[in-house]
Amino acid sequence: MDNNEIILVLDFGGQYNQLIVRRIRDLGVYSELRPYSTTIEDIKKINPIGIIFTGGPNSVFESDSLSVSRDILNLGIPILGICYGAQLIAHLENGKVATSSTREYGGSKIVYSNAPLFDGIPSESTCWMSHTDFVAEIPKNYTVLASTKTCRIAAFGDIDKKIYGLQFHPEVIHTENGDKILENFIYKVANAHGDWAMKNFVESSVAKIKSIVGMGTVLCAMSGGIDSAVAATLVHKAVGDRLTCVLVDHGLMRKNECAEIMSVFRDGLDMNLKLIDARDRFLSKLTGVSDPDAKRKIIGAEFIRVFEDFGKTLGNVDFLVQGTIYPDVVESGFGKSAAIKLHHNVGGLPAVINFKEIIEPLRDLFKDEVRKVGFELGLPKSVVMRQPFPGPGLAIRIIGDITEDKLEILREADAIFRSEISDADLDSKIWQYFAVLTGVRSIGVMGDMRTYDYMLALRAVVSLDAMSADWAKIPWPVLEKISNRIVNECRNINRVVYDITTKPPATIEWE
Ligand code: XMP
């Protein structure tokens, strides 16, 4: 990323880490999460205007505790340590960290002292604590800057050195004025100007794509989703006719999806978009495969092969564009967070690729930022607000092995669900809504006949960025109508259930 200003967030494994990055970007400064083990040399190269040490589950006393070189505190770069990050600062600066016999968890009344970090914040408010270890003695030259009833050193800092530690979490909404603290860190301590805006992003990525591609040719895999649409439009803006877009029908699309995509992008947006019918290739490779990660790997690898073959018919193709976004990168195991799923567009790539390079212009963006870029690029609302659809398509919405017959059944049920949600005017209020063909079959009765058929699950969630999600509270009469229509109109489905699980602990997709 070519932004001038960057706040580096060093990841010590806390669950709120991406939230910190999001909040900072919302405040107008580009921010990135990097592993705590990022070297001093790399930090100097990144040249951040400020660094945040996140919280984490460790204790500074553990022999394998996650640490950083003490030199980082002497780079002259402002630092904010949060929870574990604060204890680490105290520990590195020869203060004293102690372990309490009980875990402090929840809201506490806090009293702040005067400091640039707390500028404009009422001296008394509420903060959110979640810790066992605490700073018992501050290091030399540091000052106590906030206290709660049970935590004498709730915040401390060396104002001249611009290093602060907070025992509580400013990034969670339960901390009153938490955003203001982060804003103060960025603007009053690190002296940012705030140059992170989607307009700048469009300009800098177009320039970057131009310089990478030069006079080369580019191939873009479109899925019809917002990510690949925005990625393609950015690249189109940079290289014009040297971009060819291709839509692969892998046989795992929803009902009428390919036709709709062709009409929006080729006919409506005038892109050079070609449709490849690869249904047989994918389905034969997927026969008998039930494991979700194996499905993703097969699909990811086959995608690349299809593009390579298509590339040969085009003559030389130098670059491939993919719509990978930041949560895909993080969830595939970047940083300290555990790998949750093997996303087909990151982890599943085959080792040998016959392209010079893969271009992923949205790799640093969260979903809502991608939408902002979409609007910035002038894409129509129907494209920008389209619900996300995963690259592996219906393959990860059929639990167990995939057959043409199951795909047919799922497509019909999913189409009914989608049309009813749209008729009820709920489509813009729900992040994603789709049907899942579970592997479960159950007994039913239809007319006088006993049936033994599939159970279909409906999944609908509200979310801001797919990192966390709540199940959508669809009104019962709407659910009732959907269920009635599905069992009456779709063969082989005799039971419909509604998934009422949040993410976490569940994921949005079932596989
Ligand atoms: P989960 O299921 O992990 O999904 O909560 C988060 C978001 O990512 C989408 N998703 C995928 N997108 N390739 C994709 O391009 C994948 O393999 C994949 N798996 C999940 C999912 O639809 C949701 O929007």
Side-chain angles (χ1 to χ4, degrees):
M1 193 52 48
D2 298 326
N3 282 70
N4 298 326
E5 295 180 336
I6 168 166
I7 296 274
L8 192 62
V9 178
L10 287 187
D11 183 0
F12 288 92
Q15 52 178 324
Y16 304 122
N17 296 351
Q18 285 205 47
L19 209 56
I20 301 174
V21 174
R22 284 291 316 278
R23 294 255 188 274
I24 295 169
R25 289 192 193 182
D26 284 346
L27 290 164
V29 177
Y30 181 69
S31 176
E32 251 183 44
L33 190 66
R34 293 283 179 118
Y36 73 93
S37 52
T38 305
T39 61
I40 293 273
E41 285 66 39
D42 282 341
I43 291 176
K44 282 186 187 158
K45 265 187 233 148
I46 296 166
N47 194 21
I49 57 165
I51 302 175
I52 293 183
F53 296 171
T54 71
N58 282 64
S59 164
V60 292
F61 302 115
E62 286 162 20
S63 56
D64 58 350
S65 73
L66 314 184
S67 193
V68 289
S69 155
R70 193 170 180 274
D71 297 342
I72 200 171
L73 302 175
N74 296 321
L75 291 174
I77 302 173
I79 294 178
L80 176 67
I82 296 173
C83 199
Y84 176 80
Q87 293 152 17
L88 187 63
I89 292 172
H91 187 66
L92 291 170
E93 294 276 64
N94 299 320
K96 207 166 135 195
V97 178
T99 303
S100 139
S101 54
T102 53
R103 180 183 174 85
E104 185 180 9
Y105 183 82
S108 303
K109 290 267 161 259
I110 185 163
V111 179
Y112 295 111
S113 310
N114 273 341
L117 193 65
F118 305 127
D119 224 37
I121 295 178
S123 67
E124 283 187 35
S125 60
T126 304
C127 71
W128 186 261
M129 293 281 189
S130 171
H131 66 107
T132 310
D133 286 0
F134 61 98
V135 177
E137 264 173 47
I138 51 169
K140 222 172 120 208
N141 299 329
Y142 282 73
T143 320
V144 176
L145 295 173
S147 306
T148 72
K149 213 166 169 186
T150 47
C151 182
R152 189 175 62 85
I153 308 173
F156 63 96
D158 180 332
I159 291 174
D160 294 334
K161 213 171 160 189
K162 300 189 166 190
I163 297 182
Y164 292 87
L166 304 176
Q167 184 59 74
F168 56 93
H169 289 271
E171 71 277 21
V172 304
I173 46 166
H174 314 285
T175 293
E176 272 173 12
N177 305 304
D179 267 356
K180 184 76 185 154
I181 294 176
L182 291 176
E183 187 183 328
N184 284 342
F185 177 68
I186 297 164
Y187 289 102
K188 304 244 156 107
V189 180
N191 295 326
H193 297 94
D195 64 357
W196 176 243
M198 291 308 133
K199 188 170 175 294
N200 300 353
F201 175 84
V202 169
E203 278 163 19
S204 73
S205 7
V206 166
K208 193 168 162 188
I209 296 166
K210 268 189 188 152
S211 80
I212 293 173
V213 173
M215 292 311 287
T217 47
V218 192
L219 183 59
C220 179
M222 294 266 291
S223 68
I226 169 77
D227 301 344
S228 54
V230 171
T233 316
L234 269 176
V235 175
H236 192 248
K237 207 170 153 85
V239 306
D241 288 350
R242 270 171 296 126
L243 169 71
T244 303
C245 293
V246 54
L247 173 65
V248 176
D249 184 358
H250 51 15
L252 306 163
M253 296 293 212
R254 291 168 290 193
K255 193 175 174 183
N256 293 335
E257 192 147 36
C258 285
E260 281 166 15
I261 295 168
M262 293 308 286
S263 110
V264 172
F265 295 100
R266 188 191 51 193
D267 309 337
L269 297 178
D270 207 21
M271 281 196 185
N272 177 15
L273 172 60
K274 297 189 161 62
L275 178 68
I276 300 180
D277 181 356
R279 287 176 291 180
D280 292 344
R281 274 177 84 151
F282 279 87
L283 291 187
S284 67
K285 287 250 160 44
L286 287 166
T287 303
V289 179
S290 299
D291 178 71
D293 280 344
K295 288 180 186 173
R296 280 192 168 80
K297 268 207 166 121
I298 290 170
I299 294 166
E302 199 54 26
F303 257 117
I304 298 289
R305 297 275 106 84
V306 170
F307 297 145
E308 282 171 351
D309 290 351
F310 180 70
K312 282 177 202 147
T313 70
L314 283 180
N316 265 347
V317 174
D318 305 309
F319 299 93
L320 177 71
V321 180
Q322 287 207 324
T324 316
I325 66 170
Y326 199 53
D328 303 335
V329 177
V330 174
E331 288 206 5
S332 291
F334 167 76
K336 271 293 298 160
S337 325
I340 314 256
K341 277 181 189 175
L342 194 59
H343 280 258
H344 89 278
N345 44 2
V346 182
L349 292 179
V352 184
I353 299 170
N354 289 334
F355 296 98
K356 240 191 240 165
E357 209 176 312
I358 293 192
I359 302 177
E360 296 174 316
L362 311 176
R363 218 185 142 79
D364 298 316
L365 299 193
F366 291 97
K367 195 83 175 189
D368 53 330
E369 292 177 317
V370 174
R371 291 201 208 281
K372 284 185 197 158
V373 172
F375 282 126
E376 196 59 51
L377 287 166
L379 289 173
K381 190 162 173 242
S382 62
V383 172
V384 176
M385 297 316 287
R386 193 182 169 97
Q387 64 163 320
F389 185 61
L394 300 183
I396 57 169
R397 293 179 180 174
I398 291 175
I399 311 304
D401 67 319
I402 298 155
T403 63
E404 187 50 66
D405 190 49
K406 288 182 187 173
L407 281 164
E408 239 351 275
I409 297 170
L410 179 58
R411 267 191 206 110
E412 289 306 316
D414 187 71
I416 292 173
F417 188 22
R418 285 194 286 142
S419 84
E420 288 300 329
I421 290 291
S422 149
D423 286 355
D425 215 13
L426 292 170
D427 44 355
S428 62
K429 301 183 181 81
I430 303 178
W431 171 269
Q432 258 176 302
Y433 47 99
F434 54 86
V436 177
L437 193 66
T438 73
V440 173
R441 294 184 134 207
S442 72
I443 304 278
V445 58
M446 200 169 261
D448 290 333
M449 296 286 282
R450 186 182 142 97
T451 57
Y452 184 60
D453 270 328
Y454 288 114
M455 179 173 89
L456 185 94
L458 302 176
R459 179 74 162 144
V461 295
V462 288
S463 175
L464 191 61
D465 54 15
M467 297 304 295
S468 63
D470 193 7
W471 57 280
K473 312 294 184 289
I474 298 176
W476 287 16
V478 179
L479 280 175
E480 186 178 24
K481 186 162 179 218
I482 294 165
S483 167
N484 275 340
R485 277 197 62 194
I486 290 174
V487 285
N488 283 309
E489 295 174 36
C490 300
R491 66 181 170 90
N492 297 110
I493 295 174
N494 65 356
R495 194 174 294 271
V496 177
V497 295
Y498 187 47
D499 181 348
I500 53 166
T501 332
T502 54
K503 171 183 181 175
T507 49
I508 294 175
E509 303 287 346
W510 274 38
E511 287 199 330

